[in-house]
Amino acid sequence: MTIPVDRLTDPAVRAFVTALNANDQAAFQQALTPGATMSDDGSDRDLAQWTEKEIFSSRGHMEIESEKTGGRGLVARFRNDTWGEMRTQWRFTVDGGKISRFETGQA
């Protein structure tokens, strides 16, 4: 069973996932604070390069399985055209209603 994106608890996380799933780069940038950072499997990555490769040019998509920590932690089935589908975990830091950092990795 999955959680519909429009039912995600945290509005900033909801905006992030909505933009990611719509492949909407402008809305995705609007969901982030200036200077937002991220990590993948414990290693910091260049956010612009990572999102272009893993999300936008490869049509990334998240199906949310569960939420924790007030909606700022997700377990999701993430898929893209490069890697196929994998079970992932996501942790978000929210600042002023926008995502200032996210950390993802295999669940």
Side-chain angles (χ1 to χ4, degrees):
M1 191 167 99
T2 61
I3 300 170
V5 175
D6 64 355
R7 298 228 176 131
L8 292 174
T9 304
D10 188 282
V13 173
R14 187 179 329 119
F16 177 99
V17 176
T18 298
L20 186 154
N21 284 352
N23 204 22
D24 185 335
Q25 289 180 312
F28 188 83
Q29 289 302 317
Q30 286 295 313
L32 302 173
T33 65
T37 61
M38 57 97 37
S39 72
D40 183 7
D41 284 328
S43 298
D44 278 6
R45 306 280 188 208
D46 178 279
L47 190 141
Q49 289 177 353
W50 189 91
T51 56
E52 176 56 32
K53 180 181 177 193
E54 301 292 340
I55 297 171
F56 298 112
S57 68
S58 61
R59 296 185 307 178
H61 193 271
M62 295 171 74
E63 296 285 335
I64 311 305
E65 291 182 357
S66 64
E67 290 186 295
K68 58 185 177 186
T69 60
R72 294 185 180 177
L74 302 176
V75 173
R77 291 189 312 275
F78 180 79
R79 68 178 181 272
N80 65 25
D81 291 345
T82 303
W83 305 109
E85 184 175 293
M86 65 190 82
R87 196 161 182 262
T88 56
Q89 60 183 348
W90 299 74
R91 288 184 306 280
F92 298 93
T93 303
V94 177
D95 184 15
K98 295 189 177 206
I99 305 294
S100 61
R101 180 171 176 82
F102 68 92
E103 298 169 357
T104 186
Q106 292 201 36

